[in-house]
Amino acid sequence: MEFFVDPSRCIGCQACAQACAECDSHRGISMIHLDFVDRSSSPQTTPTVCMHCDDPTCARVCPADAIKQTAEGVVQSALKPRCVGCSNCVLACPFGVPRYIPALDQMMKCDMCYDRTSAGLKPMCATVCPSGALYYGSRETIVQMRREQPTNTFVFGRRVVTTKVSLMVSANTSALEVDIASFLPSPEDPSAGNNPQQVAA
Amino acid sequence: MTNRTNPPPQSPGFPINWEDEHQVTRRTFVTFLLLLSTTFVASTGLIGLLNWLRRRQASQLAPLRIAQLQEIPIGGVTLFHYPTASDPCLLIHPSAEIFLAYSQKCTHLSCPVLYQAAERQFYCPCHAGRFAVEDGRPLSGPPKRPLPRIEIKVTGDEIWAVGVQA
């Protein structure tokens, strides 16, 4: 059973965020974010779940030993007694997943509903998503069902990141390459930083 | 995708995997046991050393004049502090020619004991501990050790405290 995210199917209904916030372990606070891709030009949203990197940058930069990865490859949210709220992980994550919660002085992020998925259940968000933007199931099934194909390899500059969660991309794409330079605002075009372009390799 | 080589990753100072965190090697466990037993031995030795020093000091205490003989009637009691100002003691006069002095600190949890002349005992109101007047031994209640006795010397018509029997 794997997790697949297809942002193009997202309809912005917030069901995933509401369902996530229902969980007893973090009641009232959603660990999944619904982000607008480019709010000024489109209503398109994308659900941001943790990609659960094979080599989690957030855990590597944590100075407090608060982020742990399980044998299944699930990267846990920050351990409450250890997290010092420094936001190193927030800044380091290439996918923008961890969020600092000021009221708790803690980082919280998606842990793929570890209490549910470790017991064979689906994550809450995937059970409620009405459009299939979040899908939890076998790879064979989703490859047959969809035109898009899953990829779990992302290239950020010189860094190749492989993840446990897959993103649905066009069929001829093997890896998603992110042009980091396009994220940086330049003196000629200050708005460039607000308009990232993702390039299929 | 172009061929790239990942730059060497930053090396964290602790394990990222849960299993590594919970794994305790035999060497670590034995080291822990060794340190624990060393701590026990060292702390026991330290306690023994401190007790020895305290006893050594107690035998070299400066004498203190407590009261005059006629100041304390039979059945009377006087409070004094010996060997330091934070060590309250009771001087009692249970019968003629007999003066006794004990530390006022209950040996259970250091509450001040009260002298009850009629019952010939010291009574601790905190947990109802009782001590005998004759030798300070515990009679009932939580205390298991006798009250420390203060050595007394009568010089002329003055009563002096000269030492502590722990």
Side-chain angles (χ1 to χ4, degrees):
Chain A
M1 301 290 268
E2 291 180 63
F3 204 144
F4 302 91
V5 181
D6 189 349
S8 65
R9 285 175 164 257
C10 182
I11 57 172
C13 68
Q14 295 273 5
C16 52
Q18 296 294 331
C20 185
E22 289 281 320
C23 253
D24 275 333
S25 57
H26 50 99
R27 185 172 286 280
I29 297 176
S30 173
M31 289 183 173
I32 181 174
H33 322 297
L34 206 67
D35 297 322
F36 283 87
V37 177
D38 183 9
R39 190 154 192 182
S40 59
S41 61
S42 162
Q44 179 63 50
T45 51
T46 174
T48 306
V49 295
C50 179
M51 302 301 285
H52 298 283
C53 306
D54 297 334
D55 181 15
T57 310
C58 55
R60 283 199 171 275
V61 301
C62 178
D65 194 17
I67 305 172
K68 293 289 167 196
Q69 189 178 32
T70 67
E72 302 95 331
V74 173
V75 183
Q76 296 288 326
S77 186
L79 296 167
K80 288 192 182 72
R82 296 186 185 181
C83 178
V84 294
C86 69
S87 296
N88 263 15
C89 51
V90 179
L91 297 168
C93 176
F95 300 101
V97 169
R99 292 283 166 96
Y100 172 67
I101 313 290
L104 302 175
D105 190 28
Q106 295 268 305
M107 180 279 274
M108 288 178 77
K109 75 166 191 65
C110 156
D111 58 0
M112 211 196 271
C113 289
Y114 189 68
D115 51 345
R116 291 172 58 85
T117 50
S118 59
L121 296 168
K122 292 182 178 183
M124 285 298 285
C125 54
T127 60
V128 299
C129 182
S131 61
L134 298 164
Y135 177 82
Y136 188 79
S138 69
R139 184 171 285 264
E140 293 76 23
T141 309
I142 197 161
V143 166
Q144 285 173 0
M145 280 198 313
R146 306 266 175 97
R147 281 198 308 262
E148 299 86 0
Q149 294 302 303
T151 184
N152 67 340
T153 308
F154 303 86
V155 183
F156 297 91
R158 291 191 300 134
R159 173 82 66 190
V160 180
V161 176
T162 54
T163 60
K164 182 178 169 69
V165 176
S166 298
L167 198 69
M168 302 305 289
V169 293
S170 56
N172 56 356
T173 306
S174 60
L176 204 65
E177 191 163 351
V178 180
D179 183 5
I180 293 178
S182 69
F183 280 84
L184 304 173
S186 63
E188 298 81 28
D189 183 11
S191 66
N194 303 323
N195 193 14
Q197 297 293 319
Q198 294 195 341
V199 183
Chain B
M1 185 185 125
T2 52
N3 270 337
R4 297 162 193 264
T5 52
N6 270 343
Q10 177 190 345
S11 171
F14 28 73
I16 285 175
N17 291 335
W18 249 0
E19 283 69 22
D20 298 346
E21 160 130 328
H22 295 310
Q23 191 202 14
V24 179
T25 60
R26 184 183 307 172
R27 183 182 295 262
T28 309
F29 182 65
V30 170
T31 307
F32 170 75
L33 282 185
L34 191 70
L35 286 172
L36 191 70
S37 54
T38 307
T39 308
F40 278 136
V41 169
S43 54
T44 309
L46 187 68
I47 290 168
L49 182 71
L50 288 174
N51 277 339
W52 178 76
L53 284 173
R54 203 175 291 125
R55 274 199 299 275
R56 193 155 159 262
Q57 281 177 343
S59 61
Q60 301 167 347
L61 294 172
L64 174 81
R65 180 189 165 283
I66 302 170
Q68 293 199 310
L69 288 174
Q70 59 271 24
E71 286 177 6
I72 307 173
I74 291 178
V77 60
T78 294
L79 179 71
F80 65 101
H81 293 82
Y82 188 81
T84 67
S86 57
D87 296 314
C89 305
L90 293 177
L91 173 69
I92 59 172
H93 189 188
S95 54
E97 303 298 319
I98 294 180
F99 285 92
L100 297 167
Y102 295 98
S103 166
Q104 202 190 4
K105 283 185 185 174
C106 176
T107 54
H108 174 224
L109 286 176
S110 298
C111 286
V113 296
L114 308 172
Y115 175 50
Q116 296 178 332
E119 288 86 2
R120 296 186 61 77
Q121 66 181 13
F122 293 103
Y123 174 69
C124 178
C126 286
H127 305 100
R130 295 170 202 275
F131 302 88
V133 159
E134 295 78 21
D135 51 5
R137 70 181 187 282
L139 297 174
S140 68
K144 295 283 175 280
R145 289 167 293 140
L147 285 174
R149 190 165 176 170
I150 311 297
E151 291 173 17
I152 288 182
K153 192 174 170 187
V154 179
T155 313
D157 62 349
E158 288 183 337
I159 306 169
W160 290 73
V162 293
V164 179
Q165 293 177 357

